[in-house]
Amino acid sequence: MSKQSLKHKNNLRIAHHCGNRIRIICDELNNRSDVSVIEANIGEHKGIKSVRVNKYAKSIVVEYFGDLDEILNFIQNLKIPKKPKDTSLPSKVEIYKSGAVMAISPLISSNYTKTALGLYASSANLLQGVKELKEEGVTSKVLESMAVGVSLARGDHLAANSTNFMLNLGEYMEESASHRSDDLIKELARPNIEEVWIEIRQEDGSLGLKKVKTQKLKKGDIVVVGAGESIGIDGYIVDGNASVNQVSMTGEAEPIARSRGDRVMSGTVVEDGRIKIWAENVGDETATARIKEYIQSSLNEKSSVGLKATKLADKLVPVTLSLAGVSYLINRDMNSVASVLQADYSCALKLATPVAFKSSISKAGRNGILIKGAKAIEALNLADTFVFDKTGTLTHGRLSVVKIFSFKKNLSEEDILNLTASAEEHYFHPVAEAIVEAANKRGFHHIHHDEVEFIVAHGVKTSMDKKEVVIGSRHFLEDDEGISFAGQDKVIQDALNKGLTLLYVGYDKELVGVIAMKDDMRENAKATLDKLRTLGVKEIIMLSGDIKAKAQEVAKELGCDRVYAECLPTDKAKIIEELKAEGKNVAFIGDGINDAPSLTKANVGISMHKGADIAKATADISLLKDDIASVAIAKELSVKTMKLIGSNFNSTVGINTAILAAATFGMLNPIATAILHNGTTIWLLLNSMKGVKFAK
């Protein structure tokens, strides 16, 4: 189809065409275009394999297998939906109104007309002042309204109009700053993915695809995601390979290669490839749904320092009013009274603090750290004792095969590993993943077997060459299946003494081998603990279920101050309570189901990325990427955020005190006071929005 023929409803131009992939420029796309709906509508066409829309580049990239002319005609006649205008955005109407009156007033000779125009332009501020006086008493808004009213009553129209204009401009800037800081956080919550493709068994027995609402998905459904599509569930890849962009969830800029057995999260995007995902978490249980819930609560949460600033601002309003009276006694001039009424502490004190918190929460989220509100930042800043659970926190929590014991001469280590991996590759528990990974590294040779039976908390059973294969715990093989362990106790005990995790392999009613695994220490664990000390942490403690000797060895390697070994799940929360009773501010970092009570008991709880859902739900801070260095980054962010808030607080009090003093002694007129006061407030808000810098 030629470019000239593309002249239907939408103005399209072919920018690039190669094979069955085409990029089209659509002039109707703009900032308000609803990309997700457009992609869904285009994707409905039976001849389209995948579609990706970029509203900023005005481009539509389509992979197709149908008739191109028909597809182009379909897109030409497609309605381009627009997102509704955001009515929550601050309005500029009052700025335009007050600016216009300020400009034309000098051209009018009648004082009555000037006063009428001034009342018209400032009516919103005057009415708001009266309303707040009735409902809340003397507030900063009441003082501002009084300043405008005094100037109008004196016939100083330039001062009244200039003051009103600066008030409206300042209020608009303040609302915009607050609105933008909220938007920065809301960006972390990805748009709802309303529909996905799932694999179904058709009437003739063949596999097919069906589009369903994400809310109707069930655990265990097989979700199919192609290039350019967003992943709508959390789960494991069971087939296919893909390049997945995880920046929205983990902060990782580069797409990550994902294949069978890898876990993927909702809200991430498949850039290339096609995968089938076994749905683990669906609907409100997905990562994006939980993040949205956390973010919504964090937007409105008041920190203790924020509440103190608000209370102080309210207490200082009567001080400003009193200074206005003092000013009149000194200068006998209502002009100085109007000047004093311009300046107060309220705006900067009340707004700069929450904006700074929101900016830091947003920056943390972009770097894979989900902070659930301002209180978490405050608590983390004060934390002087960090308690780490060992497994899955200081260690990877991911088993790796370190040794294979074969007890049969005709079975090599590779034979034992291949036999085990062939049975275990159908499951996604940590032991199975470790076995399959080790087999793949050694050139995995799949051994044909019958259907695998999974026995919960025990192991798996299957048959190979008509002989029974049993893989799992010692209790499962020895007690349940009657397999003898005679002659192998020394080998097994030596491995257990080294802290290794053992998987036992039985074949044809004999114990033929044992696979030993261990959980490796995180490479950057020690560097993270050292960084925490430079940030003011006084004591670092490790909790472990390991035997005392092994736990102490790990603690010594990492430089921990204290170690609690052989901990039962119930011991952890008790230890946290004891530390708090000693007067310590405790941060606890964990990942397991049994860590949830400790995460709640601590002053601030931090859950690891691969932790249990309940740990993530109860923690104050959740890591969205599997990197322990994020703990130190979060601590650094909290320290710098509180320093920024303290600096803003001191600047607010210092600068506004100087402005008030100058106005009280008649050194500033109302216009100059308005400019200085609002300019200071805007500068502090912008400083808060810029936020803090921290190591990534």
Side-chain angles (χ1 to χ4, degrees):
M1 178 175 283
S2 67
K3 296 179 185 179
Q4 289 77 13
S5 65
L6 299 178
K7 292 181 180 177
H8 293 295
K9 187 172 183 179
N10 297 319
N11 186 25
L12 306 181
R13 300 187 304 281
I14 297 176
H16 183 259
H17 188 193
C18 180
N20 67 338
R21 186 183 179 92
I22 187 168
R23 185 162 70 89
I24 306 161
I25 303 300
C26 177
D27 292 333
E28 281 68 29
L29 290 171
N30 57 39
N31 290 347
R32 285 183 56 204
S33 298
D34 196 331
V35 171
S36 59
V37 176
I38 296 169
E39 289 180 343
N41 289 342
I42 295 176
E44 289 288 344
H45 191 281
K46 61 183 180 181
I48 291 177
K49 183 179 179 182
S50 69
V51 59
R52 187 165 56 212
V53 175
N54 186 328
K55 61 185 178 182
Y56 303 106
K58 295 183 178 289
S59 74
I60 303 172
V61 178
V62 172
E63 275 192 71
Y64 65 94
F65 49 79
D67 182 81
L68 179 57
D69 285 349
E70 182 186 333
I71 290 169
L72 290 171
N73 184 63
F74 172 74
I75 297 173
Q76 285 169 345
N77 290 282
L78 190 71
K79 183 179 179 181
I80 304 295
K82 308 290 183 188
K83 289 184 178 179
K85 192 173 181 180
D86 189 351
T87 55
S88 66
L89 289 172
S91 172
K92 298 179 182 177
V93 172
E94 294 301 324
I95 297 176
Y96 296 144
K97 188 195 296 185
S98 56
V101 170
M102 185 174 64
I104 65 174
S105 283
L107 306 176
I108 299 172
S109 57
S110 170
N111 283 332
Y112 290 110
T113 305
K114 287 182 179 180
T115 301
L117 285 172
L119 286 169
Y120 164 72
S122 60
S123 59
N125 281 327
L126 293 173
L127 290 171
Q128 184 64 31
V130 172
K131 182 181 178 183
E132 287 201 14
L133 181 62
K134 288 180 179 179
E135 297 176 355
E136 303 176 35
V138 181
T139 65
S140 60
K141 178 61 73 174
V142 173
L143 296 181
E144 293 164 354
S145 301
M146 288 173 65
V148 176
V150 168
S151 295
L152 283 173
R154 294 178 58 250
D156 190 348
H157 300 105
L158 178 60
N161 292 328
S162 300
T163 299
N164 187 51
F165 176 76
M166 285 302 301
L167 289 173
N168 289 327
L169 179 62
E171 187 170 342
Y172 173 78
M173 292 292 290
E174 291 161 10
E175 288 179 6
S176 296
S178 184
H179 188 278
R180 186 180 167 198
S181 67
D182 285 358
D183 282 350
L184 288 174
I185 299 176
K186 288 176 181 175
E187 282 178 19
L188 297 174
R190 310 310 299 168
N192 276 324
I193 301 162
E194 295 182 354
E195 295 181 319
V196 295
W197 290 99
I198 65 168
E199 193 173 71
I200 60 168
R201 182 73 63 180
Q202 297 178 330
E203 292 181 2
D204 62 0
S206 63
L207 291 174
L209 295 179
K210 178 183 178 182
K211 182 171 279 190
V212 299
K213 298 287 185 183
T214 51
Q215 290 301 320
K216 292 185 177 180
L217 282 172
K218 302 184 296 295
K219 183 173 182 177
D221 281 342
I222 303 299
V223 179
V224 182
V225 187
E229 295 177 338
S230 296
I231 296 173
I233 45 91
D234 300 340
Y236 292 90
I237 298 174
V238 294
D239 186 46
N241 298 277
S243 176
V244 180
N245 188 326
Q246 302 184 144
V247 68
S248 62
M249 297 298 290
T250 68
E252 295 169 287
E254 295 297 320
I256 306 298
R258 288 287 180 258
S259 58
R260 190 183 192 285
D262 289 333
R263 195 172 193 272
V264 290
M265 288 183 291
S266 62
T268 58
V269 179
V270 174
E271 291 202 342
D272 291 299
R274 187 170 183 269
I275 51 177
K276 295 180 181 180
I277 307 164
W278 183 83
E280 181 186 32
N281 295 325
V282 298
D284 293 337
E285 296 299 315
T286 62
T288 49
R290 292 196 300 272
I291 288 173
K292 285 184 180 183
E293 182 183 342
Y294 298 149
I295 287 171
Q296 194 57 48
S297 62
S298 73
L299 287 177
N300 303 314
E301 185 181 63
K302 295 283 187 182
S303 65
S304 60
V305 71
L307 289 170
K308 287 176 185 176
T310 300
K311 288 178 181 178
L312 178 61
D314 291 338
K315 287 179 180 178
L316 289 174
V317 169
V319 174
T320 304
L321 192 59
S322 300
L323 287 174
V326 172
S327 175
Y328 181 76
L329 293 174
I330 294 173
N331 303 297
R332 299 291 177 179
D333 180 9
M334 290 302 292
N335 193 53
S336 63
V337 172
S339 295
V340 172
L341 294 174
Q342 290 295 324
D344 73 282
Y345 302 86
S346 181
C347 297
L349 283 176
K350 288 182 177 180
L351 288 172
T353 297
V355 167
F357 277 125
K358 290 172 183 178
S359 175
S360 291
I361 290 170
S362 171
K363 283 192 174 184
R366 292 170 188 270
N367 286 277
I369 304 167
L370 179 62
I371 300 177
K372 305 173 189 176
K375 289 181 180 177
I377 294 179
E378 280 186 310
L380 188 58
N381 171 64
L382 293 172
D384 55 20
T385 302
F386 274 61
V387 180
F388 289 86
D389 179 51
K390 183 180 79 71
T391 304
T393 304
L394 294 171
T395 64
H396 283 288
R398 183 184 67 241
L399 294 170
S400 60
V401 174
V402 293
K403 181 70 176 174
I404 301 171
F405 301 96
S406 175
F407 303 138
K408 298 287 287 184
K409 290 182 180 180
N410 62 331
L411 289 177
S412 66
E413 290 184 9
E414 281 70 24
D415 291 334
I416 297 291
L417 187 60
N418 286 331
L419 182 150
T420 307
S422 297
E424 293 279 6
E425 67 174 341
H426 302 278
Y427 302 99
F428 298 109
H429 52 75
V431 171
E433 290 175 348
I435 298 297
V436 173
E437 182 182 2
N440 285 331
K441 286 179 180 178
R442 299 193 185 197
F444 179 32
H445 172 66
H446 181 82
I447 301 173
H448 179 72
H449 57 81
D450 294 341
E451 186 175 345
V452 179
E453 180 186 359
F454 179 70
I455 296 98
V456 177
H458 285 73
V460 297
K461 289 177 68 173
T462 186
S463 293
M464 295 179 183
D465 296 328
K466 297 182 180 180
K467 294 179 180 178
E468 189 176 67
V469 176
V470 183
I471 303 166
S473 66
R474 178 165 185 166
H475 167 73
F476 178 41
L477 272 71
E478 192 171 32
D479 298 337
D480 295 351
E481 298 298 323
I483 294 175
S484 174
F485 276 58
Q488 312 303 342
D489 281 332
K490 185 178 187 307
V491 172
I492 292 170
Q493 193 57 49
D494 287 346
L496 290 173
N497 290 340
K498 293 176 182 177
L500 299 177
T501 298
L502 303 184
L503 183 70
Y504 303 93
V505 184
Y507 181 68
D508 196 22
K509 293 297 181 179
E510 286 187 81
L511 179 67
V512 296
V514 173
I515 299 177
M517 295 162 283
K518 66 176 289 190
D519 185 8
D520 296 322
M521 188 70 64
R522 291 181 184 270
E523 297 77 9
N524 57 349
K526 189 175 190 311
T528 298
L529 302 193
D530 292 342
K531 175 72 173 176
L532 287 171
R533 294 189 192 282
T534 66
L535 293 168
V537 176
K538 296 176 182 176
E539 188 173 18
I540 294 174
I541 298 169
M542 186 185 85
L543 307 183
S544 174
D546 291 337
I547 58 174
K548 191 173 182 179
K550 184 183 177 186
Q552 287 178 334
E553 182 183 339
V554 174
K556 184 179 179 181
E557 181 184 343
L558 292 172
C560 296
D561 299 296
R562 269 197 265 178
V563 58
Y564 292 85
E566 301 176 16
C567 287
L568 297 173
T570 52
D571 294 335
K572 296 179 183 179
K574 194 180 297 182
I575 291 168
I576 300 297
E577 288 183 330
E578 290 171 358
L579 292 170
K580 288 174 69 177
E582 294 174 16
K584 300 180 185 298
N585 285 305
V586 181
F588 177 77
I589 302 91
D591 73 323
I593 291 174
N594 56 17
D595 291 332
S598 302
L599 290 164
T600 304
K601 293 283 185 186
N603 296 92
V604 58
I606 303 175
S607 67
M608 297 298 290
H609 168 57
K610 291 185 177 179
D613 288 344
I614 190 170
K616 294 177 183 178
T618 53
D620 303 292
I621 299 169
S622 293
L623 305 186
L624 301 179
K625 56 184 177 182
D626 191 28
D627 186 359
I628 196 174
S630 296
V631 174
I633 292 172
K635 174 64 174 176
E636 181 183 6
L637 178 74
S638 70
V639 170
K640 290 186 174 180
T641 299
M642 297 311 295
K643 283 183 179 178
L644 172 64
I645 289 169
S647 173
N648 283 347
F649 184 89
N650 293 333
S651 297
T652 298
V653 174
I655 294 172
N656 281 286
T657 298
I659 294 172
L660 271 172
T664 300
F665 289 101
M667 299 167 63
L668 294 173
N669 62 37
I671 299 173
T673 305
I675 291 171
L676 287 171
H677 169 65
N678 286 287
T680 300
T681 300
I682 292 168
W683 169 69
L684 287 168
L685 284 171
L686 293 175
N687 192 41
S688 293
M689 283 190 66
K690 184 176 71 174
V692 299
K693 292 182 179 179
F694 59 96
K696 298 181 181 181

